Each structure stands twice: as structure tokens, then as C-alpha cells.
């Protein structure tokens, strides 16, 4: 079993829809949780960073962490075609989020 | 603020040849990482440096991969000899010592034929 599981998709939704992306994990020691966005032929770009359980909002993006269920989510409101990318969840046990374990990535397409 | 720089962007070599990748991290970032990202997968950490010392190289195939960060700034990752399964994107990332996240370069896409 992989430490971090993420549905690879692909996921295709119409513009303006609310998108929900999810990851599950098996290691209860993970405390730091991140979401990265990766456009084709580019490096991952840090979107959201959260520590322990709870919610964090940044513009159209909301990250949720439920440590009791070992489940994290990223919600995108009012999705735009420019949001089309691969979204990677990542997590770490260590302070400063040093050693990251990534999910497989979910490929998302927003259709105009 | 300039981002993480990597070169070359693309490289095609034959199996058993050697190849080297270069990375220049964000100024002031003490921690540098090399990741391997195989098509359709998330990045996998190969090696982590803190200044010019190795913190974690547990997933680096040391029989063929090597990396150095001599002056605590730039880093080089080498593969010798390359195998077909080394075809991947090699990503460099950097972070502050106790940073809130890692910042990635554009990667080097390696194709081994």
C-alpha cells in the first residue's frame, strides 16, 4: 500500500463548477499537508500549506485536513480554464515540511 | 525574486551513457532537494542537502546516481551509467531552513534510449 493515495483522474468539469480533489494517507505521523499545482512541462507550484487538522482558505482555494480519517481535500470554487493542471497532494512528518511524500497527482481539465 | 533554475531542460542519451544536471536554488535557501518524477507519478525524493551536507539520500540509487553541492549553493546530479528506467523529469527544489514549503524548478526531462 502506498503511503499517499490520490485518484489520478482525469477529471473534467465545466467552467464555474466547484472542484473537489482528495488524498488519503496511511501514516498517522504526517502533520504537514500541501497542495501543489503542476502545469504541463513545468515544475510543481505550491498552492496551499496546512498544519494538522482544519481548514485554510486562500481566494478560490480551500484546503481541508481530517487527521482522524487520514483524508485531505482541496476545493476550487468558480473554476477557470486556467486551473487546468495536475494537482499533487504532499505531506510530511517533519517540521518545516522538509521530506515530502507526494500523491500520484490528479489531472484536472476545466472546460470553457 | 528569481526562482529555482535548472539546466538543461531536455536531454536525450543512450543507455550506459552518463549525464549531469545542474540546479541553482533561490537565493538564501539553505535546503536543496533533487526529485525524480516518472510520467504519471508524483515526485520522489532522491537526495536532500542542508547547505553542502547530505541530510537524506536513502532513496538515491548510489550505484549509478551521485550528487554534490560543493559551496552550499549550486548542485549537480549525475547518472552514470544511465538505464532505460531512468527516463523521467528530474526536479530540483529549495526551501528555507524552516520554510513553509518547497519551491520547484522547471525540471530536466531525460529520455534514455
Amino acid at each position: 500500500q502506498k503511503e499517499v493515495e490520490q485518484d489520478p483522474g482525469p477529471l473534467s468539469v465545466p467552467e464555474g463548477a466547484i472542484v473537489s480533489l482528495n488524498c488519503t494517507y496511511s501514516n498517522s505521523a504526517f502533520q504537514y499537508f500541501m497542495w501543489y499545482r503542476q502545469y504541463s512541462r513545468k515544475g510543481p507550484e505550491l498552492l496551499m500549506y496546512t498544519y494538522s487538522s482544519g481548514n485554510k482558505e486562500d481566494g478560490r482555494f480551500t484546503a481541508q485536513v481530517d487527521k482522524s480519517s487520514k483524508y485531505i481535500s482541496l476545493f476550487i470554487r468558480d473554476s477557470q480554464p486556467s486551473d487546468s493542471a495536475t494537482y499533487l497532494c504532499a505531506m510530511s512528518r517533519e517540521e518545516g515540511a522538509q521530506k515530502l511524500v507526494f500523491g500520484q497527482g490528479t489531472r484536472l481539465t476545466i472546460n470553457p | 525574486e528569481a526562482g529555482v533554475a535548472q539546466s538543461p531542460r531536455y536531454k536525450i542519451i543512450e543507455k550506459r551513457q552518463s549525464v549531469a544536471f545542474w540546479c541553482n536554488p533561490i537565493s538564501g535557501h539553505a535546503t536543496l532537494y533533487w526529485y525524480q518524477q516518472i510520467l504519471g507519478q508524483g515526485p520522489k525524493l532522491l537526495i536532500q542537502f542542508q547547505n553542502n551536507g547530505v541530510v537524506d539520500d536513502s532513496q538515491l540509487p548510489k550505484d549509478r546516481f551521485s550528487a554534490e553541492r560543493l559551496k552550499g549553493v549550486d548542485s549537480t546530479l549525475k547518472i552514470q551509467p544511465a538505464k532505460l528506467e531512468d527516463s523521467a523529469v528530474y526536479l530540483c527544489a529549495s526551501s528555507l531552513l524552516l520554510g513553509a514549503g518547497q519551491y520547484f524548478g522547471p525540471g530536466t526531462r531525460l529520455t534514455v534510449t
Side-chain angles (χ1 to χ4, degrees):
Chain A
Q1 182 187 11
K2 292 181 181 178
E3 278 191 288
V4 180
E5 298 276 1
Q6 184 176 7
D7 186 340
L11 180 62
S12 182
V13 301
E15 183 176 356
I18 297 175
V19 177
S20 172
L21 304 168
N22 312 294
C23 288
T24 59
Y25 61 95
S26 57
N27 190 340
S28 58
F30 286 139
Q31 297 188 67
Y32 300 86
F33 304 92
M34 283 134 280
W35 285 95
Y36 283 82
R37 178 174 62 195
Q38 187 173 25
Y39 291 115
S40 180
R41 300 187 179 274
K42 301 286 187 182
E45 170 195 8
L46 180 63
L47 274 180
M48 301 287 284
Y49 174 95
T50 54
Y51 169 68
S52 196
S53 288
N55 294 357
K56 183 174 182 179
E57 188 173 321
D58 184 1
R60 296 184 296 110
F61 298 90
T62 299
Q64 286 187 352
V65 175
D66 181 350
K67 290 190 70 180
S68 63
S69 301
K70 298 189 181 68
Y71 187 88
I72 68 171
S73 300
L74 177 71
F75 297 95
I76 308 174
R77 292 184 300 280
D78 188 24
S79 56
Q80 305 293 312
S82 58
D83 296 328
S84 298
T86 296
Y87 289 80
L88 296 152
C89 64
M91 43 200 80
S92 171
R93 297 171 293 181
E94 301 166 26
E95 187 176 9
Q98 303 236 9
K99 184 173 182 177
L100 296 181
V101 178
F102 281 85
Q104 183 177 358
T106 298
R107 186 172 178 181
L108 172 67
T109 300
I110 309 297
N111 301 302
Chain B
E1 178 183 71
V4 176
Q6 290 188 248
S7 68
R9 291 296 312 277
Y10 304 92
K11 191 74 177 179
I12 300 174
I13 61 171
E14 295 181 351
K15 59 184 180 183
R16 292 187 289 273
Q17 287 186 325
S18 63
V19 64
F21 313 127
W22 173 82
C23 173
N24 180 245
I26 294 172
S27 178
H29 282 196
T31 310
L32 184 146
Y33 314 79
W34 283 101
Y35 288 85
Q36 180 192 58
Q37 186 175 23
I38 292 172
L39 185 65
Q41 298 183 20
K44 183 186 83 170
L45 180 68
L46 292 176
I47 189 168
Q48 176 186 344
F49 290 94
Q50 184 69 27
N51 294 309
N52 60 349
V54 175
V55 174
D56 185 346
D57 64 357
S58 58
Q59 297 188 96
L60 186 73
K62 298 180 187 64
D63 58 333
R64 298 184 301 105
F65 287 64
S66 64
E68 60 183 11
R69 193 184 185 198
L70 291 176
K71 296 183 179 179
V73 180
D74 293 4
S75 177
T76 303
L77 177 70
K78 297 180 181 178
I79 307 175
Q80 182 179 11
K83 292 185 175 181
L84 295 176
E85 59 261 36
D86 298 332
S87 294
V89 176
Y90 291 84
L91 294 162
C92 179
S94 69
S95 68
L96 292 172
L97 178 60
L98 295 176
Q102 298 178 19
Y103 296 87
F104 285 80
T108 296
R109 184 175 296 271
L110 174 67
T111 302
V112 182
T113 63

